[in-house]
């Protein structure tokens, strides 16, 4: 009888210890170092603020603490693949978030399928992530190339408009141009020339001259649309070559605040953006802006909002699924899930798990006290206004 009591007490103690040690492990696998370092920091800050916001500051879900494990891909696809496997296999992460680069993301997707764990892609953009390379374990809170493209086509396209593109020669750039061309067809605009350059290009003279030559004989409204990620944005350098002598206007989508400094040179520039902190009006964005100013003495940026959307999605999915252990339950909870973000309502489309979301047509203004071109809202493009193709069929 004494032995039974001792065993019973020991079992109860073990059970209590196990319950006390239960935790929800989230791996953030992203490029902390390298050319996209600024994007990465914003993404991680936003992720942590999203987890905090969605848990009411407790960093717990149903009494289980959230543990965030950070891994640096250094923008290396092979490293990203191995680190995600390490996160799922060695660290037993229930959910992973990341990465920054589309090339790294494409290398990571099969790992999620192999380990049968959810990967929330944020902020990598290439269409192929939720397109031909997709599997059922992949969800994306970030926008995709088609969302960028359709929004920019609405802002820039029209009958008699001729456009040339300049993009980086990798998945983000090529997917972006392909989606932009497709979206422009409905507007009556045409693409006259496509130019792709290596991601580390610093001299754009030859590329710009090829564009100018291709556009010189065109009539009507002419625009050069730039698709660029990371450092080395060519906008200022190409503007210094005076494309206006060929009747060409520079156009581009939104970007982080540091990159918007180049936009100040071109007031009236139009395009579409994913986020600018003064545009959305909702309680989540109000909290983000206020808290970010308190903590960092600066406004939240492009990828801070994206990271926060991912963090809130993680918490809402786990709550809805009744825990983080059952991946199938998580997938079921996330398909069609709507949740509130700094951009307003987002919704995971059931067919490809791409987050449907608003985009913003902007026009730049020069404003006192700001050392960058301010993207002022022309029109919000709601998720129901954009026919985003399903590309994973």
């Amino acid at each position: 009888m004494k032995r039974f009591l001792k065993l019973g007490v020991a079992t109860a103690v073990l059970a209590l210890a196990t319950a006390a040690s239960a935790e929800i492990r989230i791996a953030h696998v992203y490029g902390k170092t390298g050319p996209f370092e600024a994007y990465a920091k914003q993404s991680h800050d936003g992720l942590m603020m999203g987890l905090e916001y969605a848990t009411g500051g407790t960093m717990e879900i149903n009494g289980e603490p959230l543990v965030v494990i950070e891994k640096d891909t250094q923008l290396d696809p092979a490293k990203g693949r191995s680190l995600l496997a390490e996160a799922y296999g060695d660290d037993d992460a229930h959910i992973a978030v990341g990465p920054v680069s589309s090339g790294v993301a494409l290398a990571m997707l099969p790992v999620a399928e192999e380990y049968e764990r959810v990967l929330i892609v944020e902020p990598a953009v290439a269409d192929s992530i939720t397109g031909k390379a997709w599997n059922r374990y992949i969800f994306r809170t970030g926008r995709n190339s088609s969302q960028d493209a359709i929004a920019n086509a609405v802002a820039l396209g029209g009958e008699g408009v001729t456009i040339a593109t300049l993009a980086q020669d990798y998945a983000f750039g090529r997917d972006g141009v392909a989606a932009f061309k497709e979206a422009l067809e409905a507007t009556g605009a045409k693409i006259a020339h496509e130019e792709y350059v290596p991601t580390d290009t610093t001299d754009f003279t030859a590329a710009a001259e090829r564009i100018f030559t291709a556009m010189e004989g065109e009539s009507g409204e002419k625009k050069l649309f730039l698709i660029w990620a990371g450092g080395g944005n060519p906008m200022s350098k190409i503007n210094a070559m005076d494309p206006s002598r060929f009747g060409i206007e520079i156009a581009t989508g939104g970007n982080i605040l540091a990159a918007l400094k180049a936009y100040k040179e071109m007031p009236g520039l139009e395009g579409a953006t994913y986020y600018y902190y003064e545009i959305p009006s909702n309680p989540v964005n109000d909290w983000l802006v206020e808290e970010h100013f308190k903590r960092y003495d600066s406004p939240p940026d492009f990828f801070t909002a994206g990271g926060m959307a991912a963090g809130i999605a993680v918490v809402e999915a786990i709550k809805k699924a009744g825990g983080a252990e059952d991946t199938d339950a998580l997938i079921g909870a996330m398909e069609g899930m709507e949740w509130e973000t700094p951009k307003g309502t987002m919704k995971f489309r059931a067919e490809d798990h791409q987050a449907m979301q608003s985009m913003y047509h902007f026009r730049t203004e020069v404003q006192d006290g700001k050392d960058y071109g301010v993207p002022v809202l022309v029109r919000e493009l709601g998720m129901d206004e954009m026919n985003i193709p399903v590309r994973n069929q």
Side-chain angles (χ1 to χ4, degrees), residues 35-36 167-170 196-204 228-234 237:
F36 295 169
Q168 290 154 305
D169 193 9
Y170 79 116
Y196 299 94
V197 297
T199 58
D200 58 354
T201 300
T202 56
D203 184 353
F204 298 93
W228 200 266
N233 193 304
K237 291 182 178 180

PDB file of all heavy atoms in Angstrom, residues 35-36 167-170 196-204 228-234 237:
ATOM      1  N   PRO A  35      22.210  41.372 -47.014  1.00  0.00           N
ATOM      2  CA  PRO A  35      21.623  42.560 -47.655  1.00  0.00           C
ATOM      3  C   PRO A  35      20.210  42.900 -47.197  1.00  0.00           C
ATOM      4  O   PRO A  35      19.791  44.044 -47.322  1.00  0.00           O
ATOM      5  CB  PRO A  35      21.629  42.180 -49.146  1.00  0.00           C
ATOM      6  CG  PRO A  35      22.651  41.124 -49.289  1.00  0.00           C
ATOM      7  CD  PRO A  35      22.652  40.366 -47.999  1.00  0.00           C
ATOM      8  N   PHE A  36      19.462  41.909 -46.699  1.00  0.00           N
ATOM      9  CA  PHE A  36      18.086  42.152 -46.266  1.00  0.00           C
ATOM     10  C   PHE A  36      17.986  42.302 -44.746  1.00  0.00           C
ATOM     11  O   PHE A  36      16.930  42.102 -44.148  1.00  0.00           O
ATOM     12  CB  PHE A  36      17.171  41.008 -46.712  1.00  0.00           C
ATOM     13  CG  PHE A  36      17.015  40.881 -48.211  1.00  0.00           C
ATOM     14  CD1 PHE A  36      16.407  39.776 -48.755  1.00  0.00           C
ATOM     15  CD2 PHE A  36      17.478  41.871 -49.064  1.00  0.00           C
ATOM     16  CE1 PHE A  36      16.259  39.643 -50.131  1.00  0.00           C
ATOM     17  CE2 PHE A  36      17.341  41.756 -50.438  1.00  0.00           C
ATOM     18  CZ  PHE A  36      16.725  40.638 -50.972  1.00  0.00           C
ATOM     19  N   ALA A 167      14.223  44.774 -63.023  1.00  0.00           N
ATOM     20  CA  ALA A 167      14.071  43.940 -61.824  1.00  0.00           C
ATOM     21  C   ALA A 167      15.333  43.136 -61.589  1.00  0.00           C
ATOM     22  O   ALA A 167      16.190  42.980 -62.480  1.00  0.00           O
ATOM     23  CB  ALA A 167      12.872  43.004 -61.982  1.00  0.00           C
ATOM     24  N   GLN A 168      15.447  42.623 -60.372  1.00  0.00           N
ATOM     25  CA  GLN A 168      16.567  41.750 -60.022  1.00  0.00           C
ATOM     26  C   GLN A 168      16.358  40.359 -60.608  1.00  0.00           C
ATOM     27  O   GLN A 168      15.228  39.869 -60.689  1.00  0.00           O
ATOM     28  CB  GLN A 168      16.702  41.670 -58.493  1.00  0.00           C
ATOM     29  CG  GLN A 168      17.183  42.974 -57.872  1.00  0.00           C
ATOM     30  CD  GLN A 168      16.737  43.111 -56.428  1.00  0.00           C
ATOM     31  OE1 GLN A 168      15.550  43.023 -56.131  1.00  0.00           O
ATOM     32  NE2 GLN A 168      17.673  43.342 -55.526  1.00  0.00           N
ATOM     33  N   ASP A 169      17.472  39.745 -60.984  1.00  0.00           N
ATOM     34  CA  ASP A 169      17.419  38.474 -61.691  1.00  0.00           C
ATOM     35  C   ASP A 169      17.390  37.298 -60.712  1.00  0.00           C
ATOM     36  O   ASP A 169      18.359  36.554 -60.566  1.00  0.00           O
ATOM     37  CB  ASP A 169      18.617  38.361 -62.639  1.00  0.00           C
ATOM     38  CG  ASP A 169      18.456  37.208 -63.619  1.00  0.00           C
ATOM     39  OD1 ASP A 169      17.358  36.623 -63.667  1.00  0.00           O
ATOM     40  OD2 ASP A 169      19.427  36.897 -64.332  1.00  0.00           O
ATOM     41  N   TYR A 170      16.265  37.164 -60.020  1.00  0.00           N
ATOM     42  CA  TYR A 170      15.999  35.979 -59.193  1.00  0.00           C
ATOM     43  C   TYR A 170      14.495  35.879 -59.000  1.00  0.00           C
ATOM     44  O   TYR A 170      13.747  36.630 -59.627  1.00  0.00           O
ATOM     45  CB  TYR A 170      16.789  36.012 -57.877  1.00  0.00           C
ATOM     46  CG  TYR A 170      16.240  36.885 -56.763  1.00  0.00           C
ATOM     47  CD1 TYR A 170      15.803  36.319 -55.566  1.00  0.00           C
ATOM     48  CD2 TYR A 170      16.182  38.265 -56.886  1.00  0.00           C
ATOM     49  CE1 TYR A 170      15.327  37.098 -54.530  1.00  0.00           C
ATOM     50  CE2 TYR A 170      15.709  39.057 -55.859  1.00  0.00           C
ATOM     51  CZ  TYR A 170      15.286  38.472 -54.688  1.00  0.00           C
ATOM     52  OH  TYR A 170      14.801  39.255 -53.662  1.00  0.00           O
ATOM     53  N   TYR A 196      16.661  42.582 -66.648  1.00  0.00           N
ATOM     54  CA  TYR A 196      16.985  41.898 -65.392  1.00  0.00           C
ATOM     55  C   TYR A 196      18.478  42.057 -65.120  1.00  0.00           C
ATOM     56  O   TYR A 196      19.306  41.874 -66.025  1.00  0.00           O
ATOM     57  CB  TYR A 196      16.631  40.414 -65.474  1.00  0.00           C
ATOM     58  CG  TYR A 196      15.158  40.158 -65.713  1.00  0.00           C
ATOM     59  CD1 TYR A 196      14.674  39.970 -67.009  1.00  0.00           C
ATOM     60  CD2 TYR A 196      14.256  40.139 -64.659  1.00  0.00           C
ATOM     61  CE1 TYR A 196      13.326  39.758 -67.242  1.00  0.00           C
ATOM     62  CE2 TYR A 196      12.907  39.929 -64.880  1.00  0.00           C
ATOM     63  CZ  TYR A 196      12.447  39.738 -66.179  1.00  0.00           C
ATOM     64  OH  TYR A 196      11.108  39.534 -66.399  1.00  0.00           O
ATOM     65  N   VAL A 197      18.809  42.387 -63.873  1.00  0.00           N
ATOM     66  CA  VAL A 197      20.215  42.576 -63.505  1.00  0.00           C
ATOM     67  C   VAL A 197      20.514  41.779 -62.236  1.00  0.00           C
ATOM     68  O   VAL A 197      19.607  41.491 -61.441  1.00  0.00           O
ATOM     69  CB  VAL A 197      20.542  44.067 -63.281  1.00  0.00           C
ATOM     70  CG1 VAL A 197      20.359  44.868 -64.564  1.00  0.00           C
ATOM     71  CG2 VAL A 197      19.681  44.656 -62.160  1.00  0.00           C
ATOM     72  N   PRO A 198      21.781  41.420 -61.999  1.00  0.00           N
ATOM     73  CA  PRO A 198      22.138  40.714 -60.768  1.00  0.00           C
ATOM     74  C   PRO A 198      21.765  41.525 -59.529  1.00  0.00           C
ATOM     75  O   PRO A 198      21.717  42.767 -59.565  1.00  0.00           O
ATOM     76  CB  PRO A 198      23.665  40.549 -60.882  1.00  0.00           C
ATOM     77  CG  PRO A 198      23.935  40.591 -62.352  1.00  0.00           C
ATOM     78  CD  PRO A 198      22.930  41.559 -62.916  1.00  0.00           C
ATOM     79  N   THR A 199      21.519  40.825 -58.432  1.00  0.00           N
ATOM     80  CA  THR A 199      21.058  41.487 -57.203  1.00  0.00           C
ATOM     81  C   THR A 199      22.094  42.449 -56.631  1.00  0.00           C
ATOM     82  O   THR A 199      21.738  43.367 -55.895  1.00  0.00           O
ATOM     83  CB  THR A 199      20.706  40.437 -56.131  1.00  0.00           C
ATOM     84  OG1 THR A 199      21.853  39.623 -55.883  1.00  0.00           O
ATOM     85  CG2 THR A 199      19.546  39.566 -56.585  1.00  0.00           C
ATOM     86  N   ASP A 200      23.377  42.248 -56.954  1.00  0.00           N
ATOM     87  CA  ASP A 200      24.427  43.115 -56.408  1.00  0.00           C
ATOM     88  C   ASP A 200      24.885  44.191 -57.391  1.00  0.00           C
ATOM     89  O   ASP A 200      25.932  44.809 -57.215  1.00  0.00           O
ATOM     90  CB  ASP A 200      25.635  42.281 -55.964  1.00  0.00           C
ATOM     91  CG  ASP A 200      26.235  41.451 -57.096  1.00  0.00           C
ATOM     92  OD1 ASP A 200      25.658  41.436 -58.202  1.00  0.00           O
ATOM     93  OD2 ASP A 200      27.284  40.811 -56.869  1.00  0.00           O
ATOM     94  N   THR A 201      24.090  44.452 -58.407  1.00  0.00           N
ATOM     95  CA  THR A 201      24.446  45.465 -59.401  1.00  0.00           C
ATOM     96  C   THR A 201      24.522  46.852 -58.768  1.00  0.00           C
ATOM     97  O   THR A 201      23.659  47.245 -57.986  1.00  0.00           O
ATOM     98  CB  THR A 201      23.406  45.484 -60.547  1.00  0.00           C
ATOM     99  OG1 THR A 201      23.388  44.205 -61.174  1.00  0.00           O
ATOM    100  CG2 THR A 201      23.742  46.556 -61.574  1.00  0.00           C
ATOM    101  N   THR A 202      25.580  47.586 -59.116  1.00  0.00           N
ATOM    102  CA  THR A 202      25.724  48.967 -58.644  1.00  0.00           C
ATOM    103  C   THR A 202      25.788  49.959 -59.801  1.00  0.00           C
ATOM    104  O   THR A 202      25.519  51.141 -59.617  1.00  0.00           O
ATOM    105  CB  THR A 202      26.984  49.126 -57.778  1.00  0.00           C
ATOM    106  OG1 THR A 202      28.126  48.693 -58.530  1.00  0.00           O
ATOM    107  CG2 THR A 202      26.875  48.292 -56.499  1.00  0.00           C
ATOM    108  N   ASP A 203      26.161  49.496 -60.996  1.00  0.00           N
ATOM    109  CA  ASP A 203      26.236  50.353 -62.171  1.00  0.00           C
ATOM    110  C   ASP A 203      25.090  49.984 -63.117  1.00  0.00           C
ATOM    111  O   ASP A 203      25.081  48.907 -63.710  1.00  0.00           O
ATOM    112  CB  ASP A 203      27.589  50.170 -62.874  1.00  0.00           C
ATOM    113  CG  ASP A 203      27.761  51.118 -64.063  1.00  0.00           C
ATOM    114  OD1 ASP A 203      26.784  51.813 -64.419  1.00  0.00           O
ATOM    115  OD2 ASP A 203      28.861  51.151 -64.637  1.00  0.00           O
ATOM    116  N   PHE A 204      24.141  50.894 -63.258  1.00  0.00           N
ATOM    117  CA  PHE A 204      22.940  50.622 -64.050  1.00  0.00           C
ATOM    118  C   PHE A 204      22.975  51.305 -65.416  1.00  0.00           C
ATOM    119  O   PHE A 204      21.963  51.351 -66.108  1.00  0.00           O
ATOM    120  CB  PHE A 204      21.705  51.074 -63.267  1.00  0.00           C
ATOM    121  CG  PHE A 204      21.516  50.335 -61.979  1.00  0.00           C
ATOM    122  CD1 PHE A 204      22.028  50.839 -60.791  1.00  0.00           C
ATOM    123  CD2 PHE A 204      20.845  49.123 -61.950  1.00  0.00           C
ATOM    124  CE1 PHE A 204      21.870  50.153 -59.593  1.00  0.00           C
ATOM    125  CE2 PHE A 204      20.680  48.432 -60.764  1.00  0.00           C
ATOM    126  CZ  PHE A 204      21.200  48.945 -59.580  1.00  0.00           C
ATOM    127  N   TRP A 228      12.397  46.110 -56.961  1.00  0.00           N
ATOM    128  CA  TRP A 228      13.707  45.975 -56.312  1.00  0.00           C
ATOM    129  C   TRP A 228      13.523  45.658 -54.833  1.00  0.00           C
ATOM    130  O   TRP A 228      12.640  46.187 -54.182  1.00  0.00           O
ATOM    131  CB  TRP A 228      14.509  47.274 -56.455  1.00  0.00           C
ATOM    132  CG  TRP A 228      15.980  47.072 -56.255  1.00  0.00           C
ATOM    133  CD1 TRP A 228      16.690  47.218 -55.101  1.00  0.00           C
ATOM    134  CD2 TRP A 228      16.912  46.655 -57.255  1.00  0.00           C
ATOM    135  NE1 TRP A 228      18.008  46.913 -55.313  1.00  0.00           N
ATOM    136  CE2 TRP A 228      18.174  46.572 -56.627  1.00  0.00           C
ATOM    137  CE3 TRP A 228      16.807  46.340 -58.596  1.00  0.00           C
ATOM    138  CZ2 TRP A 228      19.327  46.178 -57.313  1.00  0.00           C
ATOM    139  CZ3 TRP A 228      17.948  45.962 -59.293  1.00  0.00           C
ATOM    140  CH2 TRP A 228      19.185  45.888 -58.651  1.00  0.00           C
ATOM    141  N   ALA A 229      14.402  44.798 -54.316  1.00  0.00           N
ATOM    142  CA  ALA A 229      14.402  44.462 -52.887  1.00  0.00           C
ATOM    143  C   ALA A 229      15.803  44.611 -52.336  1.00  0.00           C
ATOM    144  O   ALA A 229      16.787  44.321 -53.019  1.00  0.00           O
ATOM    145  CB  ALA A 229      13.908  43.026 -52.676  1.00  0.00           C
ATOM    146  N   GLY A 230      15.894  45.064 -51.081  1.00  0.00           N
ATOM    147  CA  GLY A 230      17.197  45.168 -50.438  1.00  0.00           C
ATOM    148  C   GLY A 230      17.926  46.449 -50.799  1.00  0.00           C
ATOM    149  O   GLY A 230      17.359  47.402 -51.339  1.00  0.00           O
ATOM    150  N   GLY A 231      19.232  46.480 -50.502  1.00  0.00           N
ATOM    151  CA  GLY A 231      20.047  47.659 -50.768  1.00  0.00           C
ATOM    152  C   GLY A 231      20.319  47.828 -52.247  1.00  0.00           C
ATOM    153  O   GLY A 231      20.012  46.980 -53.080  1.00  0.00           O
ATOM    154  N   GLY A 232      20.921  48.968 -52.578  1.00  0.00           N
ATOM    155  CA  GLY A 232      21.315  49.215 -53.962  1.00  0.00           C
ATOM    156  C   GLY A 232      20.189  49.597 -54.882  1.00  0.00           C
ATOM    157  O   GLY A 232      20.310  49.442 -56.103  1.00  0.00           O
ATOM    158  N   ASN A 233      19.074  50.108 -54.334  1.00  0.00           N
ATOM    159  CA  ASN A 233      17.948  50.492 -55.187  1.00  0.00           C
ATOM    160  C   ASN A 233      18.416  51.473 -56.264  1.00  0.00           C
ATOM    161  O   ASN A 233      19.051  52.486 -55.957  1.00  0.00           O
ATOM    162  CB  ASN A 233      16.846  51.124 -54.336  1.00  0.00           C
ATOM    163  CG  ASN A 233      15.541  51.267 -55.088  1.00  0.00           C
ATOM    164  OD1 ASN A 233      15.485  51.876 -56.140  1.00  0.00           O
ATOM    165  ND2 ASN A 233      14.477  50.703 -54.532  1.00  0.00           N
ATOM    166  N   PRO A 234      18.093  51.194 -57.529  1.00  0.00           N
ATOM    167  CA  PRO A 234      18.633  52.006 -58.630  1.00  0.00           C
ATOM    168  C   PRO A 234      17.892  53.302 -58.909  1.00  0.00           C
ATOM    169  O   PRO A 234      18.265  54.044 -59.829  1.00  0.00           O
ATOM    170  CB  PRO A 234      18.517  51.060 -59.825  1.00  0.00           C
ATOM    171  CG  PRO A 234      17.300  50.244 -59.522  1.00  0.00           C
ATOM    172  CD  PRO A 234      17.332  50.038 -58.026  1.00  0.00           C
ATOM    173  N   LYS A 237      19.974  56.606 -59.121  1.00  0.00           N
ATOM    174  CA  LYS A 237      20.979  56.561 -60.185  1.00  0.00           C
ATOM    175  C   LYS A 237      20.332  56.682 -61.560  1.00  0.00           C
ATOM    176  O   LYS A 237      20.847  57.363 -62.449  1.00  0.00           O
ATOM    177  CB  LYS A 237      21.789  55.268 -60.075  1.00  0.00           C
ATOM    178  CG  LYS A 237      22.681  55.237 -58.838  1.00  0.00           C
ATOM    179  CD  LYS A 237      23.513  53.964 -58.772  1.00  0.00           C
ATOM    180  CE  LYS A 237      24.428  53.988 -57.548  1.00  0.00           C
ATOM    181  NZ  LYS A 237      25.256  52.763 -57.435  1.00  0.00           N
TER     182      LYS A 237
END
